[in-house]
Amino acid sequence: KKSQPDLAKAYQTLCEAVESLERSGGKVTNSSLKSKMLALNPSFKESNLGFTKFNKFLLRAQEDKIIILKSLSKAGNYIVEKR
């Protein structure tokens, strides 16, 4: 069962990762974002937060108004922007 502090910490890592990728000047995609989040926090695992997929974590973050997701393709790829 996920606890709110863990989710808050994950959101903090998420925001740092988005900012870092934006600074390096490219579109932030869900796959580059996950790699960056793992670089910032090697213990990050969406499954520990109760999400079966990284995209489900991103959708929840969007619901919680942390990020904005723009669909890239039907395959579930997104461009991610900080809100």
Side-chain angles (χ1 to χ4, degrees):
K1 187 168 158 27
K2 63 185 177 294
S3 69
Q4 287 312 106
D6 290 346
L7 195 55
K9 186 172 191 277
Y11 284 167
Q12 192 178 349
T13 305
L14 173 64
C15 291
E16 284 173 31
V18 171
E19 284 168 10
S20 173
L21 289 165
E22 283 177 344
R23 273 198 304 275
S24 58
K27 293 267 182 229
V28 181
T29 62
N30 43 343
S31 56
S32 65
L33 185 56
K34 179 153 187 192
S35 302
K36 178 55 89 172
M37 284 184 72
L38 286 168
L40 291 169
N41 178 6
S43 68
F44 172 78
K45 258 198 183 130
E46 65 274 7
S47 58
N48 291 346
L49 300 166
F51 300 98
T52 51
K53 295 193 167 116
F54 184 64
N55 278 1
K56 290 188 175 179
F57 165 71
L58 292 180
L59 288 164
R60 172 68 188 274
Q62 178 172 251
E63 260 175 49
D64 288 343
K65 311 228 180 310
I66 308 292
I67 54 169
I68 298 166
L69 296 174
K70 297 187 173 171
S71 192
L72 259 184
S73 71
K74 295 274 184 263
N77 294 314
Y78 296 103
I79 295 282
V80 184
E81 293 174 0
K82 225 176 127 216
R83 204 174 254 287

